[in-house]
Amino acid sequence: MNKSVFIVLFMLNFQFFFGQTRDDYDEVKESIIIAYNSGEYDSIFDSYSAEMQNALSLEKTEAFFKNLKSSVGNIIDSEFLTFNPPYTIYATEFGGAAFMFSLALSENKEITGLKFTPYGKETNLAEADTMLDLPFEGEWYVVWGGDTKEDNYHVEHPAQTGAFDFLVINDDLKTHDGDGSFNEQYYAFGKEILAPAAGEVVMVVDGIYDNIPGKMNPDFVTGNTIVIKLKAGEFLWLAHLKKHSIKVKEGDRVEEGQFLGLCGNSGNSTEPHLHMHVQDELKINQAKGLKTHFKRLKVKRKYIENYSPVRGDLIEKI
Protein backbone atom coordinates (compact mmCIF):
# COMPACT_ATOMS: atom_id res chain seq x y z
CA MET A 1 0.00 0.00 0.00
CA ASN A 2 1.22 3.47 -0.84
CA LYS A 3 0.42 5.30 2.38
CA SER A 4 1.38 8.63 0.92
CA VAL A 5 -2.04 8.96 -0.72
CA PHE A 6 -3.55 9.07 2.74
CA ILE A 7 -1.47 11.91 4.11
CA VAL A 8 -4.45 14.00 3.17
CA LEU A 9 -5.69 17.22 4.69
CA PHE A 10 -9.19 18.51 4.07
CA MET A 11 -8.94 21.94 5.65
CA LEU A 12 -10.35 25.34 5.02
CA ASN A 13 -9.36 28.77 6.22
CA PHE A 14 -11.88 28.66 9.02
CA GLN A 15 -12.20 30.53 12.26
CA PHE A 16 -11.59 28.40 15.33
CA PHE A 17 -14.40 28.56 17.86
CA PHE A 18 -13.51 27.73 21.44
CA GLY A 19 -16.57 26.47 23.24
CA GLN A 20 -17.07 22.99 21.91
CA THR A 21 -16.56 20.36 24.56
CA ARG A 22 -14.63 17.14 24.36
CA ASP A 23 -18.03 15.37 24.22
CA ASP A 24 -18.95 17.38 21.11
CA TYR A 25 -15.86 16.18 19.29
CA ASP A 26 -16.29 12.60 20.47
CA GLU A 27 -19.91 12.59 19.29
CA VAL A 28 -19.00 13.78 15.79
CA LYS A 29 -16.02 11.43 15.64
CA GLU A 30 -18.21 8.43 16.49
CA SER A 31 -20.76 9.43 13.84
CA ILE A 32 -17.96 9.59 11.25
CA ILE A 33 -16.74 6.12 12.22
CA ILE A 34 -20.24 4.63 11.98
CA ALA A 35 -20.82 6.23 8.58
CA TYR A 36 -17.39 5.20 7.30
CA ASN A 37 -17.70 1.58 8.39
CA SER A 38 -21.19 1.29 6.87
CA GLY A 39 -20.14 2.94 3.62
CA GLU A 40 -22.52 5.90 4.10
CA TYR A 41 -20.02 8.48 2.95
CA ASP A 42 -22.78 10.92 1.99
CA SER A 43 -23.61 11.13 5.70
CA ILE A 44 -20.07 12.40 6.37
CA PHE A 45 -20.46 14.94 3.54
CA ASP A 46 -23.77 16.11 5.03
CA SER A 47 -21.89 16.88 8.27
CA TYR A 48 -19.51 19.30 6.52
CA SER A 49 -19.88 23.05 6.87
CA ALA A 50 -21.17 24.83 3.77
CA GLU A 51 -17.64 26.07 3.02
CA MET A 52 -16.28 22.55 3.36
CA GLN A 53 -18.91 21.19 0.98
CA ASN A 54 -18.02 23.85 -1.58
CA ALA A 55 -14.34 23.00 -1.32
CA LEU A 56 -14.73 19.22 -1.23
CA SER A 57 -17.52 17.71 -3.32
CA LEU A 58 -19.52 14.61 -2.46
CA GLU A 59 -17.82 12.83 -5.35
CA LYS A 60 -14.34 13.58 -3.99
CA THR A 61 -15.39 12.67 -0.45
CA GLU A 62 -16.75 9.29 -1.56
CA ALA A 63 -13.69 8.59 -3.69
CA PHE A 64 -11.33 9.32 -0.82
CA PHE A 65 -13.10 7.16 1.75
CA LYS A 66 -13.65 4.29 -0.71
CA ASN A 67 -9.94 4.32 -1.52
CA LEU A 68 -9.10 4.41 2.18
CA LYS A 69 -11.38 1.48 2.98
CA SER A 70 -10.14 -0.64 0.07
CA SER A 71 -6.57 -0.24 1.33
CA VAL A 72 -6.85 -0.42 5.14
CA GLY A 73 -10.38 -1.66 5.91
CA ASN A 74 -12.83 -0.57 8.59
CA ILE A 75 -12.03 1.42 11.72
CA ILE A 76 -11.55 -0.94 14.67
CA ASP A 77 -10.80 1.47 17.49
CA SER A 78 -10.24 5.17 18.08
CA GLU A 79 -8.73 6.69 21.22
CA PHE A 80 -8.55 10.36 22.24
CA LEU A 81 -5.02 11.75 22.16
CA THR A 82 -5.17 15.50 22.66
CA PHE A 83 -7.01 18.70 22.03
CA ASN A 84 -4.63 20.72 19.85
CA PRO A 85 -6.58 23.62 18.25
CA PRO A 86 -7.88 23.77 15.69
CA TYR A 87 -8.00 19.98 15.96
CA THR A 88 -8.88 17.26 18.36
CA ILE A 89 -6.64 14.28 17.60
CA TYR A 90 -7.48 10.59 17.93
CA ALA A 91 -5.26 7.51 17.60
CA THR A 92 -7.29 5.44 15.16
CA GLU A 93 -6.74 1.79 14.29
CA PHE A 94 -7.96 0.44 10.98
CA GLY A 95 -7.93 -3.22 9.96
CA GLY A 96 -4.67 -2.78 8.07
CA ALA A 97 -3.01 0.37 9.38
CA ALA A 98 -3.00 3.01 12.11
CA PHE A 99 -3.50 6.74 11.69
CA MET A 100 -3.75 9.91 13.71
CA PHE A 101 -7.24 11.22 12.89
CA SER A 102 -7.57 14.97 13.39
CA LEU A 103 -10.99 16.59 13.46
CA ALA A 104 -11.94 20.29 13.39
CA LEU A 105 -15.45 21.61 14.04
CA SER A 106 -17.33 24.87 13.70
CA GLU A 107 -19.31 26.39 16.55
CA ASN A 108 -22.33 24.46 15.20
CA LYS A 109 -20.42 21.15 15.31
CA GLU A 110 -20.07 21.07 11.51
CA ILE A 111 -16.92 19.48 10.14
CA THR A 112 -14.42 22.09 8.94
CA GLY A 113 -11.33 19.89 8.75
CA LEU A 114 -10.32 16.22 8.51
CA LYS A 115 -6.79 14.90 8.55
CA PHE A 116 -5.52 11.30 8.44
CA THR A 117 -1.78 10.95 9.11
CA PRO A 118 0.00 7.57 9.21
CA TYR A 119 2.00 6.90 12.34
CA GLY A 120 5.69 7.52 11.79
CA LYS A 121 8.66 5.30 12.38
CA GLU A 122 10.81 5.47 15.51
CA THR A 123 13.13 8.41 15.69
CA ASN A 124 16.31 6.56 16.76
CA LEU A 125 17.39 9.60 18.73
CA ALA A 126 20.83 10.14 20.11
CA GLU A 127 20.70 10.01 23.91
CA ALA A 128 21.69 12.66 26.41
CA ASP A 129 24.36 11.65 28.94
CA THR A 130 22.77 13.53 31.82
CA MET A 131 20.29 11.54 33.88
CA LEU A 132 17.39 13.69 35.05
CA ASP A 133 15.01 13.93 37.97
CA LEU A 134 11.36 14.84 37.46
CA PRO A 135 10.79 18.61 37.50
CA PHE A 136 7.78 18.55 39.85
CA GLU A 137 6.28 16.95 42.93
CA GLY A 138 3.17 14.82 42.92
CA GLU A 139 1.65 12.68 40.19
CA TRP A 140 1.57 14.05 36.62
CA TYR A 141 0.30 12.64 33.32
CA VAL A 142 2.42 12.29 30.18
CA VAL A 143 0.20 13.63 27.42
CA TRP A 144 3.03 13.48 24.83
CA GLY A 145 6.22 11.44 25.12
CA GLY A 146 7.96 8.64 23.26
CA ASP A 147 9.69 7.91 19.97
CA THR A 148 6.79 7.64 17.50
CA LYS A 149 4.15 10.01 16.17
CA GLU A 150 1.59 7.80 17.85
CA ASP A 151 2.97 8.79 21.24
CA ASN A 152 4.59 12.13 20.56
CA TYR A 153 3.69 14.70 17.89
CA HIS A 154 6.96 16.52 18.69
CA VAL A 155 8.96 13.95 16.68
CA GLU A 156 8.38 15.98 13.51
CA HIS A 157 10.20 19.00 15.01
CA PRO A 158 13.97 18.27 14.95
CA ALA A 159 14.94 20.09 18.14
CA GLN A 160 11.94 18.75 20.09
CA THR A 161 12.00 15.16 18.93
CA GLY A 162 12.57 13.85 22.46
CA ALA A 163 10.18 16.30 24.13
CA PHE A 164 7.59 15.68 26.82
CA ASP A 165 4.37 17.48 27.66
CA PHE A 166 3.20 16.97 31.25
CA LEU A 167 -0.08 17.93 32.90
CA VAL A 168 -2.12 16.94 35.94
CA ILE A 169 -5.34 14.93 35.83
CA ASN A 170 -7.84 13.76 38.42
CA ASP A 171 -9.35 10.29 38.89
CA ASP A 172 -11.89 11.06 36.16
CA LEU A 173 -9.05 11.86 33.72
CA LYS A 174 -10.01 15.54 33.68
CA THR A 175 -7.39 18.28 33.71
CA HIS A 176 -9.51 20.91 35.44
CA ASP A 177 -12.50 21.74 37.59
CA GLY A 178 -15.55 23.57 36.27
CA ASP A 179 -15.83 24.53 32.62
CA GLY A 180 -12.09 24.98 32.10
CA SER A 181 -12.39 28.58 30.95
CA PHE A 182 -9.91 29.93 33.53
CA ASN A 183 -6.29 28.88 34.07
CA GLU A 184 -6.89 28.70 37.82
CA GLN A 185 -9.30 25.80 37.25
CA TYR A 186 -6.49 23.60 35.88
CA TYR A 187 -4.68 21.31 38.31
CA ALA A 188 -1.27 21.98 36.72
CA PHE A 189 -1.51 25.77 36.82
CA GLY A 190 0.74 27.29 39.45
CA LYS A 191 2.47 24.03 40.38
CA GLU A 192 6.14 24.41 41.33
CA ILE A 193 8.67 23.52 38.63
CA LEU A 194 12.05 22.24 39.83
CA ALA A 195 15.43 21.87 38.14
CA PRO A 196 15.70 18.32 36.71
CA ALA A 197 19.50 18.46 36.97
CA ALA A 198 22.33 20.81 37.90
CA GLY A 199 23.56 23.27 35.32
CA GLU A 200 23.92 26.87 34.20
CA VAL A 201 20.93 28.99 33.24
CA VAL A 202 21.73 30.28 29.75
CA MET A 203 18.38 31.75 28.71
CA VAL A 204 15.33 33.13 30.50
CA VAL A 205 12.17 34.49 28.88
CA ASP A 206 9.60 36.02 31.24
CA GLY A 207 6.73 38.48 31.02
CA ILE A 208 4.70 36.59 28.39
CA TYR A 209 1.03 36.60 29.34
CA ASP A 210 -0.76 33.37 30.21
CA ASN A 211 -3.29 32.45 27.55
CA ILE A 212 -7.01 32.08 28.01
CA PRO A 213 -7.55 28.28 27.83
CA GLY A 214 -8.22 27.22 24.26
CA LYS A 215 -6.30 30.16 22.78
CA MET A 216 -2.63 30.13 21.76
CA ASN A 217 0.12 32.71 21.35
CA PRO A 218 2.13 31.69 18.25
CA ASP A 219 4.22 34.87 18.44
CA PHE A 220 6.07 33.46 21.48
CA VAL A 221 5.93 29.71 20.87
CA THR A 222 7.61 28.50 24.07
CA GLY A 223 6.18 31.30 26.21
CA ASN A 224 7.96 31.95 29.49
CA THR A 225 11.00 29.72 29.27
CA ILE A 226 14.10 28.59 31.12
CA VAL A 227 17.04 26.96 29.32
CA ILE A 228 19.68 25.16 31.40
CA LYS A 229 23.01 24.07 29.98
CA LEU A 230 23.58 20.66 31.55
CA LYS A 231 26.95 20.13 29.85
CA ALA A 232 28.48 20.76 26.45
CA GLY A 233 25.95 19.68 23.83
CA GLU A 234 23.01 19.32 26.24
CA PHE A 235 20.52 22.19 26.68
CA LEU A 236 17.37 21.54 28.69
CA TRP A 237 14.25 23.61 27.89
CA LEU A 238 11.34 24.17 30.27
CA ALA A 239 8.50 26.04 28.56
CA HIS A 240 5.02 27.57 29.01
CA LEU A 241 5.79 28.79 32.54
CA LYS A 242 3.56 31.25 34.40
CA LYS A 243 4.13 34.96 33.81
CA HIS A 244 6.54 36.58 36.29
CA SER A 245 6.99 33.34 38.26
CA ILE A 246 10.59 32.59 37.21
CA LYS A 247 13.07 32.89 40.10
CA VAL A 248 16.37 32.42 38.26
CA LYS A 249 18.30 34.57 35.80
CA GLU A 250 20.84 34.02 33.07
CA GLY A 251 24.23 33.06 34.47
CA ASP A 252 22.85 31.44 37.62
CA ARG A 253 24.10 28.02 38.64
CA VAL A 254 21.18 25.81 39.66
CA GLU A 255 21.21 22.51 41.52
CA GLU A 256 18.96 19.51 41.00
CA GLY A 257 15.62 20.02 42.70
CA GLN A 258 15.97 23.81 42.98
CA PHE A 259 12.75 25.82 42.59
CA LEU A 260 12.67 27.56 39.21
CA GLY A 261 9.16 28.90 38.65
CA LEU A 262 5.53 27.90 38.26
CA CYS A 263 3.67 25.92 35.63
CA GLY A 264 1.68 28.23 33.37
CA ASN A 265 -0.11 28.50 30.06
CA SER A 266 2.04 30.90 28.03
CA GLY A 267 3.12 30.64 24.40
CA ASN A 268 1.78 28.08 21.94
CA SER A 269 -0.26 26.33 24.63
CA THR A 270 -3.98 25.62 24.89
CA GLU A 271 -4.06 24.73 28.58
CA PRO A 272 -1.66 24.80 31.54
CA HIS A 273 1.09 22.20 31.16
CA LEU A 274 4.86 21.84 31.21
CA HIS A 275 6.88 21.25 28.06
CA MET A 276 10.39 19.85 28.52
CA HIS A 277 13.07 18.67 26.14
CA VAL A 278 16.86 18.47 25.74
CA GLN A 279 18.60 19.52 22.52
CA ASP A 280 22.21 19.48 21.36
CA GLU A 281 22.75 23.25 21.02
CA LEU A 282 21.16 26.43 22.30
CA LYS A 283 19.51 27.72 19.12
CA ILE A 284 16.25 25.85 18.71
CA ASN A 285 16.06 26.35 14.94
CA GLN A 286 19.43 24.64 14.43
CA ALA A 287 19.40 22.00 17.16
CA LYS A 288 18.59 18.31 17.22
CA GLY A 289 16.66 16.74 20.06
CA LEU A 290 18.13 14.19 22.45
CA LYS A 291 16.35 11.31 24.14
CA THR A 292 16.40 11.68 27.92
CA HIS A 293 15.96 9.28 30.83
CA PHE A 294 14.96 9.84 34.43
CA LYS A 295 17.13 8.10 36.97
CA ARG A 296 14.33 7.23 39.39
CA LEU A 297 10.58 7.75 39.48
CA LYS A 298 7.27 6.04 40.02
CA VAL A 299 5.44 4.97 36.85
CA LYS A 300 1.79 4.10 37.43
CA ARG A 301 2.75 4.02 41.12
CA LYS A 302 5.54 1.47 40.67
CA TYR A 303 9.22 2.32 41.29
CA ILE A 304 11.43 2.28 38.20
CA GLU A 305 14.92 3.50 37.27
CA ASN A 306 16.53 4.76 34.06
CA TYR A 307 13.22 5.29 32.28
CA SER A 308 12.00 7.60 29.51
CA PRO A 309 8.22 8.09 29.89
CA VAL A 310 5.73 7.62 27.07
CA ARG A 311 2.28 8.96 26.41
CA GLY A 312 -0.27 7.73 28.93
CA ASP A 313 2.15 7.22 31.82
CA LEU A 314 1.28 8.49 35.27
CA ILE A 315 4.60 9.52 36.79
CA GLU A 316 5.71 10.76 40.19
CA LYS A 317 8.95 12.06 41.67
CA ILE A 318 10.69 9.92 44.29
Side-chain angles (χ1 to χ4, degrees), residues 85 208-209 211 214-223 240 265-270:
I208 308 300
Y209 62 83
N211 304 324
K215 306 292 184 180
M216 294 191 293
N217 181 0
D219 294 329
F220 300 93
V221 175
T222 61
H240 310 309
N265 187 26
S266 57
N268 213 40
S269 170
T270 59

Side-chain angles (χ1 to χ4, degrees), residues 134-174:
L134 288 180
F136 37 65
E137 300 284 354
E139 191 171 67
W140 289 57
Y141 178 74
V142 184
V143 66
W144 291 113
D147 295 341
T148 67
K149 284 200 290 186
E150 174 185 5
D151 290 328
N152 196 354
Y153 82 94
H154 297 100
V155 300
E156 294 189 320
H157 304 276
Q160 302 180 44
T161 311
F164 303 100
D165 281 346
F166 304 115
L167 47 74
V168 181
I169 60 176
N170 65 12
D171 291 339
D172 295 324
L173 307 182
K174 293 183 178 180

Side-chain angles (χ1 to χ4, degrees), residues 81-307:
L81 283 179
T82 188
F83 180 58
N84 188 28
Y87 290 109
T88 293
I89 304 175
Y90 300 89
T92 303
E93 182 181 357
F94 291 73
F99 291 81
M100 284 198 293
F101 168 35
S102 304
L103 172 66
L105 300 178
S106 74
E107 62 180 346
N108 298 317
K109 297 196 294 186
E110 298 170 326
I111 299 170
T112 56
L114 292 171
K115 183 179 180 181
F116 292 86
T117 307
Y119 287 156
K121 63 182 181 179
E122 293 189 359
T123 59
N124 296 318
L125 280 178
E127 295 190 2
D129 291 332
T130 305
M131 293 288 288
L132 305 177
D133 198 6
L134 288 180
F136 37 65
E137 300 284 354
E139 191 171 67
W140 289 57
Y141 178 74
V142 184
V143 66
W144 291 113
D147 295 341
T148 67
K149 284 200 290 186
E150 174 185 5
D151 290 328
N152 196 354
Y153 82 94
H154 297 100
V155 300
E156 294 189 320
H157 304 276
Q160 302 180 44
T161 311
F164 303 100
D165 281 346
F166 304 115
L167 47 74
V168 181
I169 60 176
N170 65 12
D171 291 339
D172 295 324
L173 307 182
K174 293 183 178 180
T175 61
H176 57 81
D177 287 325
D179 62 4
S181 58
F182 298 97
N183 285 316
E184 290 76 13
Q185 294 174 310
Y186 288 79
Y187 306 126
F189 189 72
K191 294 285 189 184
E192 292 190 355
I193 302 304
L194 312 174
E200 178 190 357
V201 177
V202 293
M203 189 176 82
V204 171
V205 177
D206 201 355
I208 308 300
Y209 62 83
D210 288 286
N211 304 324
I212 297 170
K215 306 292 184 180
M216 294 191 293
N217 181 0
D219 294 329
F220 300 93
V221 175
T222 61
N224 300 307
T225 303
I226 299 170
V227 181
I228 301 172
K229 182 179 180 180
L230 305 176
K231 56 174 291 187
E234 293 185 9
F235 295 84
L236 183 145
W237 286 63
L238 298 163
H240 310 309
L241 300 175
K242 184 179 178 181
K243 180 180 178 181
H244 294 329
S245 73
I246 295 175
K247 301 302 181 184
V248 295
K249 62 184 184 301
E250 293 180 16
D252 283 354
R253 173 76 185 179
V254 297
E255 300 302 325
E256 181 180 307
Q258 181 176 332
F259 172 67
L260 300 176
L262 301 178
C263 182
N265 187 26
S266 57
N268 213 40
S269 170
T270 59
E271 71 174 79
H273 74 286
L274 177 68
H275 171 98
M276 189 184 92
H277 76 271
V278 176
Q279 58 189 52
D280 64 358
E281 62 175 275
L282 178 60
K283 294 181 179 179
I284 198 167
N285 292 330
Q286 301 176 10
K288 294 181 180 179
L290 300 172
K291 186 178 180 70
T292 53
H293 291 77
F294 296 90
K295 53 190 173 185
R296 58 184 181 276
L297 69 163
K298 287 183 181 178
V299 180
K300 298 177 181 176
R301 301 179 182 175
K302 295 183 179 179
Y303 179 85
I304 192 169
E305 295 181 354
N306 190 22
Y307 181 70

